[in-house]
Amino acid sequence: QAQLVESGGGLVQPGDSLRLSCAASGRTGTMGWFRQAPGKEREFVAAISWSGGGFVYADSVKGRFTISRDNAKNTVYLQMNSLKPEDTAIYYCAAARTGIPYYKNDPGLYDRWGQGTQVTVSS
């Protein structure tokens, strides 16, 4: 099974950008990013197909975040632009179960998770 390690989080100001990375060891298919803010449920952010040709975003990040992957490096990225204070959360990378398409955003369909990386947006 793939092991996932996120990196790239940090403290930034509103309007700034960050790029998160998720390095995977082992085979992966659909990959997703989720986030969890204090006192809130884990929520879907974005997902991408194995080929990179299919992707989907939560409405709250559409137009600001971009998910991509480099299969040669076994790495998935989340480019986050125009960050807002409400984007503050722990961000998790996840690998979906075999055969799950990218447009399924139920966290229960993902069976491998990274440890998370903190993103804080504050002035």
Side-chain angles (χ1 to χ4, degrees):
Q1 281 194 341
Q3 301 297 315
L4 308 175
V5 179
E6 304 98 333
S7 60
L11 170 63
V12 296
Q13 295 188 336
D16 284 352
S17 297
L18 273 178
R19 188 175 82 155
L20 305 183
S21 298
C22 172
S25 61
R27 190 175 181 87
T28 59
T30 291
M31 296 290 292
W33 286 96
F34 294 77
R35 67 186 182 186
Q36 188 166 18
K40 293 190 175 181
E41 302 252 328
R42 188 169 298 191
E43 66 172 356
F44 171 78
V45 176
I48 189 168
S49 64
W50 178 86
S51 69
F55 39 82
V56 63
Y57 298 94
D59 288 343
S60 57
V61 306
K62 207 172 290 184
R64 299 187 298 122
F65 290 12
T66 302
I67 189 170
S68 62
R69 67 190 298 165
D70 183 341
N71 287 338
K73 296 181 179 179
N74 236 8
T75 301
V76 177
Y77 305 97
L78 186 68
Q79 177 67 43
M80 306 186 294
N81 298 329
S82 303
L83 282 161
K84 305 175 180 180
E86 50 264 43
D87 294 318
T88 295
I90 299 174
Y91 283 72
Y92 298 90
C93 171
R97 296 175 185 170
T98 302
I100 298 298
Y102 67 91
Y103 47 83
K104 296 285 189 181
N105 60 14
D106 180 356
L109 299 177
Y110 289 73
D111 60 357
R112 288 157 285 172
W113 294 81
Q115 81 287 353
T117 185
Q118 176 71 48
V119 172
T120 303
V121 185
S122 175
S123 55

